[in-house]
Amino acid sequence: MQEQTGTESHRILELLFSYMPRIAAERKMDNLLVLMADLGRSMVSADRCSLWLIDRESKELWTKVAHGVDELRIPIDAGFVGYSVRTGNPLLVEDAYQDPRFDRRSDEKTHYRTTSVLTVPLLDTAGVVMGVFQAINKQGKDPVFSQQDLERLALTAVYSAKTVESARLIAEQEATQREIIHILGEASEYRSKETGDHIQRVAEISYALAKYYGLSEEEAEQIRLASPMHDLGKIGVPDAVLNKPGRLTEGEFCFMKSHAIIGESMLKTSKRPLLQFAASIAGSHHERWNGTGYPRGLKGEMIPLAGRICAVADVLDALSSPRCYKEPWPEERIREEFELQKGEQFQPELVDLLLEHWDELYGPYRS
Ligand code: C2E
Ligand code: SIN
Ligand code: SIN
Ligand code: FE
Ligand code: FE
């Protein structure tokens, strides 16, 4: 590295420390790309800077230039960026228009005049190129990028590659978790031959009720993710009971009731907070506000809130849908049932919220 003045290295450190917490807190890839491009631009004092990522499927590079603006896409082999992708090498160009590798089309499209250019590839952990940093038009009295700018952008590229990789890993894990939860939920639905998307509807109604109740987006989202597993314990209920076309005898209903505890026990074996949360919903979604529910006969606020919320959503769905043992109820009768059960089976505030937002929550059952 060249000799650098104290104030200059101080500026670089300040820059890094101001961006690092913002980058660490950001989960959305789009926003990450914008943040890291801003960091790169400040690091090398460029007029513009973008972080291009490779989309191997479409053989394109894509980027976001600003929050809320659509993504840009270019062919994977286009211009200077394409050169860095192909070779894995950085590039320092003083005047783009003197270089045969320059792709003038983007200047023509954006009415911009590119002069000096700096590109640096991003390598993943395996050493494979995953994207490219591109800085354009060095600002200041000497309008070309220096070897030191290249080193700084390379440093930013190492940091950005790690950030993109871990953001992808987290997104992948979250998607896997959502799919496993969905499959678990469907397992109970599959056996009991419940038609349609019972599981998803209960999740959406629970989420909406949670929001109207005043829970945060994050808490409501946890309920949306966990509620699909509320009937998981039904996979432990004998087929003859689960799918009996008529009314259950008292003995059969005893079997049926065990689904709450079975589901809770299955989910409680996990230490994951989301599955622990799902366990509490499975174990409390048939409790009743007045204390006459099962499996524990809990009363009022002793019943976990998510279980109280899921109870309303579950019964709305059960009454509105055909089941092996019953036809759907008419809309008016369902409303009346909730009014009747307000403060009995269900927490009064939740029934009020359901009735207040009836058209939205019951709407999907009308068609
Ligand atoms: P599910 O079908 O998902 O019903 C969930 C809850 O919705 C029921 O919990 C109950 O609180 C409410 N619900 C459903 N249908 C009616 C109804 O016609 N009238 C009223 N007032 N409430 C209704 P519950 O009672 O603890 O039942 C748990 C599960 O047991 C049900 O889940 C269903 O799988 C099964 N089940 C309940 N009753 C019968 C029955 O008569 N025959 C059969 N084959 N299964 C039943
Ligand atoms: C039950 O049979 O206990 C639940 C369904 C109903 O109340 O009709
Ligand atoms: C539940 O988690 O099902 C309720 C809390 C309890 O009594 O165990
Ligand atoms: Fe249930
Ligand atoms: Fe259910």
Side-chain angles (χ1 to χ4, degrees):
M1 265 218 206
Q2 285 171 313
E3 192 76 29
Q4 44 185 267
T5 65
T7 51
E8 181 60 5
S9 54
H10 185 78
R11 187 184 73 85
I12 295 291
L13 271 181
E14 252 181 0
L15 251 175
L16 284 171
F17 281 118
S18 73
Y19 272 89
M20 262 149 56
R22 277 192 280 160
I23 289 175
E26 183 58 62
R27 309 284 296 270
K28 284 194 66 196
M29 187 66 82
D30 288 2
N31 297 343
L32 276 175
L33 292 186
V34 175
L35 267 174
M36 293 185 298
D38 287 349
L39 171 60
R41 186 175 53 140
S42 306
M43 287 285 277
V44 301
S45 307
D47 182 45
R48 294 187 170 184
C49 183
S50 24
L51 176 47
W52 297 89
L53 291 182
I54 297 179
D55 179 344
R56 298 264 172 216
E57 236 163 77
S58 65
K59 296 198 166 58
E60 285 174 319
L61 294 152
W62 69 278
T63 192
K64 291 279 278 196
V65 285
H67 296 276
V69 175
D70 278 347
E71 64 183 46
L72 287 177
R73 286 182 167 266
I74 55 172
I76 198 164
D77 52 6
F80 297 127
V81 177
Y83 169 83
S84 275
V85 170
R86 251 192 332 275
T87 62
N89 292 325
L91 200 59
L92 251 176
V93 177
E94 292 193 3
D95 183 0
Y97 282 80
Q98 304 297 316
D99 194 305
R101 288 169 298 202
F102 184 51
D103 183 347
R104 299 174 185 218
R105 281 172 298 183
S106 65
D107 265 12
E108 281 157 14
K109 232 185 281 173
T110 56
H111 304 288
Y112 187 75
R113 173 73 195 202
T114 299
T115 307
S116 53
V117 177
L118 176 57
T119 63
V120 174
L122 269 71
L123 305 183
D124 65 17
T125 314
V128 177
V129 180
M130 62 191 282
V132 179
F133 251 121
Q134 181 182 40
I136 298 177
N137 289 353
K138 172 80 178 180
Q139 302 299 97
K141 56 182 186 313
D142 189 12
V144 294
F145 294 103
S146 64
Q147 191 62 33
Q148 192 180 51
D149 289 328
L150 196 158
E151 280 162 16
R152 284 180 183 157
L153 199 59
L155 177 74
T156 314
V158 170
Y159 173 56
S160 301
K162 286 276 169 248
T163 304
V164 169
E165 274 194 315
S166 59
R168 281 180 175 162
L169 197 64
I170 289 170
E172 171 66 25
Q173 285 168 346
E174 284 176 350
T176 303
Q177 178 179 284
R178 272 196 296 278
E179 272 180 42
I180 289 173
I181 288 171
H182 188 76
I183 290 169
L184 276 179
E186 300 241 297
S188 51
E189 198 176 62
Y190 178 77
R191 276 240 13 248
S192 63
K193 301 192 177 76
E194 273 165 17
T195 49
D197 29 45
H198 162 73
I199 297 289
Q200 208 45 47
R201 278 189 310 239
V202 171
E204 296 308 325
I205 296 164
S206 300
Y207 169 80
L209 282 174
K211 287 298 290 268
Y212 292 136
Y213 193 79
L215 299 189
S216 69
E217 175 65 32
E218 201 178 317
E219 292 168 313
E221 186 58 31
Q222 292 297 102
I223 292 181
R224 178 171 16 209
L225 286 170
S227 59
M229 292 178 279
H230 72 273
D231 273 338
L232 182 60
K234 281 186 179 176
I235 66 176
V237 174
D239 223 54
V241 176
L242 195 59
N243 293 315
K244 181 176 173 178
R247 250 192 116 67
L248 300 178
T249 65
E250 210 179 305
E252 288 165 336
F253 195 54
C254 258
F255 263 123
M256 182 58 84
K257 290 204 275 195
S258 68
H259 83 278
I261 279 294
I262 294 172
E264 183 188 277
S265 324
M266 289 173 72
L267 292 161
K268 249 185 15 198
T269 59
S270 165
K271 284 203 169 63
R272 311 304 313 164
L274 183 63
L275 295 187
Q276 285 284 329
F277 186 51
S280 91
I281 295 178
S284 63
H285 75 284
H286 286 297
E287 297 291 2
R288 294 178 172 228
W289 185 252
N290 63 13
T292 63
Y294 63 89
R296 298 184 174 89
L298 298 179
K299 195 172 173 174
E301 289 181 350
M302 296 296 291
I303 307 165
L305 174 60
R308 284 177 255 153
I309 289 173
C310 185
V312 173
D314 188 34
V315 174
L316 176 62
D317 185 69
L319 298 182
S320 309
S321 319
R323 290 282 198 266
C324 64
Y325 61 98
K326 60 174 272 294
E327 287 301 314
W329 286 20
E331 180 174 347
E332 250 335 286
R333 211 181 138 202
I334 303 176
R335 281 188 72 113
E336 285 166 18
E337 181 69 9
F338 275 101
E339 273 157 21
L340 216 62
Q341 295 295 345
K342 177 172 160 177
E344 296 299 325
Q345 186 168 358
F346 310 112
Q347 179 176 358
E349 291 82 358
L350 289 172
V351 171
D352 288 340
L353 290 173
L354 171 64
L355 297 176
E356 207 175 303
H357 300 277
W358 182 260
D359 276 333
E360 180 210 325
L361 298 174
Y362 182 81
Y365 296 103
R366 288 212 179 104
S367 47

